[in-house]
Amino acid sequence: MRQHKRSFLKTAIAVALAGSASLAFAQGAPFKIGLILPMTGQQATTGRQIEAAAKLWMAQNGDTVAGRKIELVVKDDTSLPDQTRRLAQELVVNDKVDVLAGFGITPSALAVAPIATQSKTPEVVMAAATSSITEASPYVVRTSFTLPQVSVAIADWAPKNGIKSVVTLVTDYGPGIDAEKYFSERFILNGGKVMDKLRVPLRNPDFAPFLQKVRDLKPDALFVFVPSGAGAAVMKQFGERGMDKAGIRLIATGDVTDDDQLNDMGDVALGVVTSHHYSAAHPSVANRKFVEAFEKANKGMRPNFMAVGGYDGMRVIYEALKKTGGKGGGDALLAAMKGQIFESPRGPAYIDAQTRDIVQNVYLRKVEKKDGKLWNVEFDVIKDVKDPGKSK
Ligand code: DHB
């Protein structure tokens, strides 16, 4: 049955796509981007940020590229991978989209990889950040980041700053397991001690029992990864359980001090050091303009790292379509995406032509209050970081 379904899908996709790119080009048909995002449910902030960023990109850069009108088709997968797969299939077969994009969480990005491969449709991953995603299909291009990429920097910083023992606490799926592995290995290499490794479920996590355990173990610091949207709950319970008062420091990837929520976290977040590829406080002209325009277009909402992944994803798609002279076509678009170099609001970045993953700066940041608001203020940078997950 499964086999049947697969070959039916293959045939349907092949029939739907035969010559469709050049025909669409000749007829001046719109260029369609299928943007699949979690617009509702636990990951809804990711969807809201990326959709807003994609729309801002289009408002700033026009909705026509090389003579083709750009059509954004937004679909809500509620972050359930079965939905993501079904929507991707519909978008390819019925809507005949030229590019699939979005993907709020790793299981959603992975669910679409076979469809991208079979239909030769570029899959632009704007959010999901498990290292292995780019290896699931040669049609995946990533504009977000990877957890190995950002976890190593904080594991180098911590032992130089009085942290000799840690407990790790991560969400129990792809990116959390990557963060745990790459943080721990590096921290141990640097002479540190990992006292315990704790994992919380992705759906409806309750951090309380885990934090209690950390309190009992009394490490110098707790290292945390949770996906975008869950950071505020961790921070709140960290404060309520008096962890900071018990002398346990909090270090994390920047997913925890997420710019989408940071300003509502309160003073417990002050002084928390994280490593990540984007801060809304990044001091460049390009970023200042981006943040200002984003806030203006979205009732003051501050862009987070998801927004930047979406904004740069649109840039990569626009540039690729331009390079093909408006013609498109999966393989030509993919070739034109590889190796793109650009200045992102996050800083300089490029798409590695070999791995199709993004290479970018990783920053160490500390939460500080400025003009009454909380920001991730960058104080150090590791330049041009490739995903360390690719070399293993
Ligand atoms: C993933 C999701 C997130 O919200 C995040 O901050 C990092 C990684 C993911 O599922 O890959």
Side-chain angles (χ1 to χ4, degrees):
M1 184 60 200
R2 209 175 159 77
Q3 207 52 41
H4 265 118
K5 245 183 162 165
R6 280 253 166 88
S7 61
F8 168 74
L9 170 65
K10 252 187 179 161
T11 314
I13 287 174
V15 169
L17 297 183
S20 68
S22 50
L23 195 67
F25 175 60
Q27 293 172 344
F31 182 89
K32 293 188 187 173
I33 303 168
L35 189 61
I36 310 178
L37 294 168
M39 300 306 300
T40 53
Q42 204 175 288
Q43 255 65 43
T45 56
T46 295
R48 191 177 68 210
Q49 286 271 352
I50 293 180
E51 184 187 26
K55 291 193 164 154
L56 177 64
W57 175 270
M58 292 180 72
Q60 290 177 332
N61 295 278
D63 63 356
T64 304
V65 176
R68 298 284 292 278
K69 179 111 170 122
I70 306 294
E71 207 175 289
L72 198 61
V73 188
V74 182
K75 299 281 180 187
D76 177 14
D77 68 0
T78 69
S79 85
L80 293 174
D82 284 343
Q83 291 286 358
T84 324
R85 186 187 297 110
R86 186 181 62 74
L87 290 167
Q89 211 164 297
E90 278 175 19
L91 285 166
V92 167
V93 175
N94 301 339
D95 298 87
K96 304 196 170 36
V97 296
D98 297 277
V99 173
L100 291 162
F103 313 108
I105 58 168
T106 289
S108 294
L110 290 176
V112 170
I115 297 172
T117 304
Q118 282 172 13
S119 65
K120 299 183 187 295
T121 308
E123 176 184 346
V124 179
V125 175
M126 297 168 159
T130 300
S131 173
S132 65
I133 291 171
T134 43
E135 287 155 342
S137 166
Y139 288 86
V140 170
V141 169
R142 174 156 41 199
T143 60
S144 51
F145 70 108
T146 79
L147 266 306
Q149 193 174 42
V150 299
S151 297
V152 168
I154 189 82
D156 282 340
W157 178 86
K160 290 187 222 145
N161 289 275
I163 296 170
K164 304 292 178 205
S165 61
V166 298
V167 171
T168 62
L169 174 64
V170 301
T171 303
D172 191 7
Y173 76 126
I177 292 161
D178 270 0
E180 179 192 275
K181 175 175 156 61
Y182 282 84
F183 174 84
S184 299
E185 283 181 3
R186 187 66 161 233
F187 188 68
I188 291 166
L189 191 75
N190 287 331
K193 185 176 172 207
V194 177
M195 298 170 78
D196 207 349
K197 297 177 179 178
L198 308 176
R199 295 180 181 178
V200 293
L202 175 61
R203 307 282 167 200
N204 308 312
D206 175 12
F207 300 107
F210 296 99
L211 291 178
Q212 189 53 49
K213 184 142 193 224
V214 175
R215 226 194 128 131
D216 296 342
L217 286 165
K218 282 196 190 324
D220 292 333
L222 171 66
F223 167 78
V224 181
F225 163 81
V226 291
S228 184
V234 173
M235 199 65 81
K236 183 163 175 274
Q237 292 189 24
F238 189 84
E240 279 171 5
R241 298 200 156 251
M243 312 280 286
D244 46 348
K245 307 224 165 43
I248 300 168
R249 290 159 76 183
L250 178 64
I251 54 174
T253 62
D255 310 76
V256 175
T257 55
D258 186 345
D259 272 306
D260 188 77
Q261 299 185 318
L262 178 61
N263 214 18
D264 301 321
M265 286 184 191
D267 287 354
V268 62
L270 278 175
V272 171
V273 174
T274 58
S275 52
H276 227 211
H277 57 294
Y278 179 67
S279 164
H282 179 63
S284 72
V285 174
N287 184 53
R288 221 166 292 135
K289 281 188 184 160
F290 169 70
V291 173
E292 214 176 275
F294 189 94
E295 289 186 342
K296 193 164 171 220
N298 295 285
K299 299 190 179 112
M301 175 165 75
R302 185 192 288 184
N304 70 358
F305 60 99
M306 294 300 187
V308 170
Y311 192 72
D312 290 340
M314 290 297 285
R315 171 202 307 270
V316 166
I317 297 167
Y318 266 46
E319 283 305 313
L321 181 57
K322 255 186 232 168
K323 274 195 205 161
T324 67
K327 198 157 181 239
D331 285 320
L333 288 170
L334 194 80
M337 288 177 183
K338 292 179 185 175
Q340 280 192 29
I341 302 176
F342 48 93
E343 193 195 353
S344 162
R346 64 188 106 183
Y350 69 90
I351 305 296
D352 187 318
Q354 261 75 51
T355 63
R356 292 162 277 104
D357 225 331
I358 190 159
V359 180
Q360 58 193 333
N361 294 346
V362 172
Y363 305 88
L364 285 157
R365 316 96 49 83
K366 187 186 218 166
V367 177
E368 290 177 16
K369 200 178 257 180
K370 285 195 172 168
D371 303 326
K373 289 182 180 167
L374 296 181
W375 298 96
N376 289 297
V377 177
E378 295 167 358
F379 64 86
D380 203 357
V381 57
I382 301 100
K383 291 202 168 144
D384 302 331
V385 181
K386 290 191 177 193
D387 172 34
K390 294 300 184 297
S391 55
K392 297 207 171 160

